[in-house]
Amino acid sequence: MEYIIIFIAAVFVNNIVFAQFLGICPFLGVSKKISTALGMSGAVAFVMTLATICTYLLQYYVLNPLNLGYLQTIAFILVIAALVQMVEIILKKSSPALYQALGVFLPLITTNCTILGVVILVIQKDYSLIESVVFAISTAVGYGLALILFAGIREQLSLAKIPEAIKGMPIALITAGLLAMAFMGFSGVV
């Protein structure tokens, strides 16, 4: 039951984009087409889960025993960057088709604050390793849901007659605000 509560809270109630405002740059930048939103969502989910496991182990088996907690942010950034590079190299060698499909998404993930935010939140919430993985996967699902919903709306907006003054980024920000307000309706569920 605890894992279900973590899942619902991470996807709907405390959505990483709409409630915590992390990952806004890729959210606005890669959300013009559903296909790119799906690619980014998959890449983020994969890296977020791996990064959560690696940083959890680093925190509890290296940083805490050596009283190096003050190096957490720097260590986590290095782990995420190294992990993304490693995944990129492995995909390039083992699955060139998947590497081509992910394309620019892997380098974008290195600077995505969503990943860093989640790995730090896991430590702050004092989750176990399994709870941390559930939280990471749930947050990635919530991020993907936000990205895909927003991309679908933006595709429909490109077909609509929009006043010249609010075309482009202004209507995108208005839409993101409305989506954030819609997700606020879930705040009482958990």
Side-chain angles (χ1 to χ4, degrees):
M1 188 66 174
E2 185 176 331
Y3 301 126
I4 294 171
I5 291 171
I6 290 172
F7 181 83
I8 291 171
V11 173
F12 298 110
V13 179
N14 297 320
N15 186 287
I16 199 82
V17 176
F18 297 132
Q20 298 178 16
F21 306 113
L22 291 173
I24 298 295
C25 292
F27 174 72
L28 293 172
V30 223
S31 62
K32 292 182 181 168
K33 294 186 346 184
I34 292 178
S35 59
T36 54
L38 281 168
M40 184 66 165
S41 300
V44 165
F46 182 69
V47 171
M48 189 178 293
T49 305
L50 284 178
T52 300
I53 293 168
C54 292
T55 55
Y56 181 91
L57 296 173
L58 176 69
Q59 179 73 34
Y60 287 104
Y61 294 106
V62 177
L63 296 179
N64 285 355
L66 297 174
N67 290 326
L68 297 173
Y70 58 90
L71 293 175
Q72 179 189 60
T73 303
I74 294 170
F76 286 5
I77 289 171
L78 291 173
V79 166
I80 292 166
L83 186 63
V84 169
Q85 289 302 310
M86 188 177 67
V87 167
E88 192 171 358
I89 291 168
I90 291 170
L91 283 179
K92 197 176 205 178
K93 299 263 187 216
S94 65
S95 179
L98 183 58
Y99 175 75
Q100 290 293 342
L102 290 177
V104 73
F105 299 127
L106 280 174
L108 280 175
I109 291 172
T110 306
T111 59
N112 191 338
C113 62
T114 306
I115 309 290
L116 181 62
V118 167
V119 297
I120 290 175
L121 281 171
V122 160
I123 303 303
Q124 287 177 347
K125 293 177 183 266
D126 201 29
Y127 283 150
S128 69
L129 181 59
I130 295 172
E131 290 172 333
S132 299
V133 171
V134 169
F135 180 74
I137 292 169
S138 305
T139 303
V141 168
Y143 181 79
L145 177 67
L147 203 60
I148 293 165
L149 278 173
F150 192 58
I153 292 171
R154 284 184 80 177
E155 280 186 0
Q156 292 299 313
L157 283 174
S158 68
L159 303 173
K161 287 186 177 186
I162 298 171
E164 198 64 37
I166 61 170
K167 275 190 178 176
M169 197 52 68
I171 193 67
L173 292 172
I174 291 168
T175 304
L178 291 172
L179 274 172
M181 286 174 37
F183 269 71
M184 281 176 52
F186 292 114
S187 63
V189 173
V190 176

